Amino acid sequence: MKKHICDVCGYTYDPAVGDPGNGISAGTSFEALPDDWVCPECGVGKDQFSAVE
């Protein structure tokens, strides 16, 4: 599973960690995040993230 980085603030979503502060458990791929999930740092949507190669 690839990491994704926020194009606005630089936050990195790591599927190995998830987003426990927002109820997303470790092992959740970026693609499996709910459509209404937003960056926990700046609040932008998933469409503002890019996959890290």
Side-chain angles (χ1 to χ4, degrees):
M1 290 187 284
K2 290 185 179 180
K3 295 180 182 179
H4 284 70
I5 190 165
C6 178
D7 299 328
V8 176
C9 73
Y11 168 81
T12 300
Y13 176 77
D14 183 349
V17 176
D19 183 14
N22 289 303
I24 306 298
S25 59
T28 303
S29 70
F30 186 81
E31 294 75 19
L33 291 171
D35 290 337
D36 61 351
W37 180 85
V38 295
C39 176
E41 296 287 321
C42 70
V44 298
K46 289 173 60 177
D47 61 332
Q48 297 293 310
F49 279 72
S50 298
V52 176
E53 295 301 323

